Amino acid sequence: MTIRLYDLAGANPALRFSPYCFRTKLALLHKGLDFETVPWRFTDKSRIAETGQERVPVIVDGKRWVNDSWSIALYLDETYPARPKLFPDAQSRNYARFLNSWCDWSVNPAIRPLAVRHVFDAIDEKDKAYFRESREKQLGMKIEAIGADQVAAAAGFASALKPAEIMLADHRFLHGAEPGYGDYALFGSLLWPFAVCPKDPIDYVSNVGKWFERMMGRFDSWAARQPTVRSLA
Amino acid sequence: MTIRLYDLAGANPALRFSPYCFRTKLALLHKGLDFETVPWRFTDKSRIAETGQERVPVIVDGKRWVNDSWSIALYLDETYPARPKLFPDAQSRNYARFLNSWCDWSVNPAIRPLAVRHVFDAIDEKDKAYFRESREKQLGMKIEAIGADQVAAAAGFASALKPAEIMLADHRFLHGAEPGYGDYALFGSLLWPFAVCPKDPIDYVSNVGKWFERMMGRFDSWAARQPTVRSLA
C-alpha cells in the first residue's frame, strides 16, 4: 500500500521546499516504503483537518493519519520494524532527537534570513497573505526586510552550522559511517534554501558542503532530482 | 596511581571555572579514577610545555602527558576499559562528539557575554594582561564592553540552550536515562558562569535548570561542593 504524504508546494506544484516534509520523505526513502506526495498549500488546512492541526508533513497510511515529522518517523519504525531502522537503538534515537531539535532551534532560524523572502516569491497567490502575516509576526519585521543584509545572513548561517562543520571534519555523516535520522534533519533544513534561493546557498568547499553532496547522492540521487527554483526557471 | 590534572584557577586557587577542565574532571569521576588537581594559571605555560601546547586541561598519568579534553576522554576509555565507559558504543561517541562541538561553537560563545568580565575580575594579577589581550582580540571589543547589555546576553544564553531545553522536556539527561559525556560537556559549560558570576545564572524553572540540578547531585554532589565566587565571598 502506497503511503500518501501531504507535501508543502509552491505556486509551481513541482517546487517543494519544506524542511519538515523533506525529513519525512527521507525517512520514507530510508525505510524503502512506497509513497506518493500530494502538493499542499499553506491555506489548504481543511485537507488535513483529520489530524486536528494545520501543518504538514501529514501522512496517510491506509486509514491511519499521522502528523509531525518526528512522530511520523517513530510511527514508521514501529509499524515497519522489518524495514531498515531509523532508530536502531536508544543512543541513536537520542542523538537524532537532539539533532532534530538543534535544526529546529539553531539552524532553521539562521536559514530564515536567506530563504523567507524567496519562499514568499515562490508560493501560490492564495498563500501570500497568510504567509506574510504569520512570518512578519514570527520574525518581527516585514518580509522585505528579512535578510536585507545578506552578508550578515550568510555569516549567521555558517556560524549556526559550525558544530556540524567540526563534526564532519572526521566523520562521513553526523551519525558516523552511514547517515541516520539526524543527517536527514539537517539535510532537510539545507534543502529548503537550496530549493528556493536563486543562487545555490551551499558552500561546497566546507565539510558541510561535501557532506551535502554525499547526501545528494543517496537513494539513487533522489535529492539531486528534486526541482528547485533554478532548475524550474 | 593518582592522575594529576592541571586545572585553570583564579587568584584564589580554590576557584576553578574552565569549562574544558570541568569536562575532564567529570570524565575522571565517571571512570571512578583517583585524581588530584594542580591549580594552574593562564601564564603558567612552561609547566605544561611537555605537551607541546599552552592550554589546559592537561593530565599526567604516570609518565604519560595528555592534553585536550576530547583526547583525554578517549585516552581514559582506551587505557581503562574495565572502568565505566565514557563511550559505550559508536553512536554514543558520535552523539557526545556532536554535543561537545555544539558546546564549543554555540553554547560557549553565548556564555562569554555573561562570564568573561567576571573571569577577568577573578583571575590572578599575573594573568590579567594576557587575558585582556587574548579575549579582546577574540571578541573584538574591550573586556568592559563584553556583556554590557546583560538583557541581550541572558536572551542569547537562553536561545543557545534551546535545543537542550526541548530535548530535556522528555529526557532525564541528554544521553537518556543516565548522563553521558555530552552531558558532561554541557554541564562543564554551565559550571563556568556558575562559578564566576556574582549572581547564579541558572534558570532553575527551565528544563535545563532542572537537569543542572540533577547533574549537581551526581558523584556524591561533587559539583555542588566546588567553590564559586559566591561561596568564597
Side-chain angles (χ1 to χ4, degrees), chain B residues 73-86:
Chain B
L74 295 176
Y75 166 83
L76 294 175
D77 252 12
E78 272 170 30
T79 310
Y80 302 99
R83 300 278 183 157
K85 292 224 174 358
L86 288 162

Side-chain angles (χ1 to χ4, degrees), chain A residues 1 46 208:
Chain A
M1 171 106 72
S46 64
V208 169

Side-chain angles (χ1 to χ4, degrees), chain A residues 132-146:
Chain A
R132 176 180 286 283
E133 188 187 343
S134 62
R135 274 21 177 211
E136 291 185 350
K137 187 174 171 191
Q138 178 185 40
L139 300 171
M141 62 183 80
K142 302 292 285 181
I143 291 276
E144 291 72 15
I146 297 165

Side-chain angles (χ1 to χ4, degrees), chain B residues 200-212:
Chain B
D200 181 347
I202 306 300
D203 169 12
Y204 293 98
V205 176
S206 68
N207 299 325
V208 169
K210 289 170 195 152
W211 163 89
F212 184 87

